[in-house]
Amino acid sequence: MPAHTRALDLARARLAQQAVSYAFDIAVDEMTSPTRGSARAALARQIAIYLTHVAFEISLARTAEAFGRDRSTAAHACHKVEDRRDDPAFDHCLDELEACLRSVPPPSPARLGQAA
């Protein structure tokens, strides 16, 4: 995978983590721990993985790599989050977060003051 693609995937994962951190009032450090952590941290990480995959339309393999996890772990996270979407309040929150992430413009060399 090209370095710029990997960097963009990492940036998108960080953005999803920040959004989840804000919406669910959990520190990013808790989500990014190499171990599972608390149930709350694990759920927040699963939501961030799900949102990265869905909102940015990134493959599960690339999403997993951006989070330093295995593809099967990313797939499990997405299934767990999908199962919770039966709760209307949770579903609404995820709809809002997904819309927010989709609305963020992608980085562009022109906006960064670099030549295209």
Side-chain angles (χ1 to χ4, degrees), residues 15-99:
L15 184 60
Q17 288 168 340
Q18 290 291 335
V20 171
S21 171
Y22 175 79
F24 289 87
D25 190 28
I26 186 163
V28 172
D29 289 349
E30 289 185 60
M31 278 188 274
T32 58
S33 169
T35 60
R36 182 181 185 278
S38 68
R40 192 166 174 265
L43 176 60
R45 182 173 42 255
Q46 290 170 338
I47 294 167
I49 288 170
Y50 172 85
L51 288 169
T52 300
H53 172 61
V54 172
F56 298 117
E57 300 176 6
I58 299 174
S59 72
L60 280 174
R62 285 175 46 199
T63 299
E65 186 174 334
F67 280 86
R69 299 295 203 262
D70 184 80
R71 186 202 172 283
S72 63
T73 301
H76 175 76
C78 290
H79 289 298
K80 294 298 267 186
V81 172
E82 280 292 340
D83 288 347
R84 291 187 63 130
R85 292 200 75 160
D86 291 337
D87 174 351
F90 184 81
D91 186 56
H92 178 73
C93 181
L94 262 58
D95 281 344
E96 293 290 316
L97 285 169
E98 183 181 341

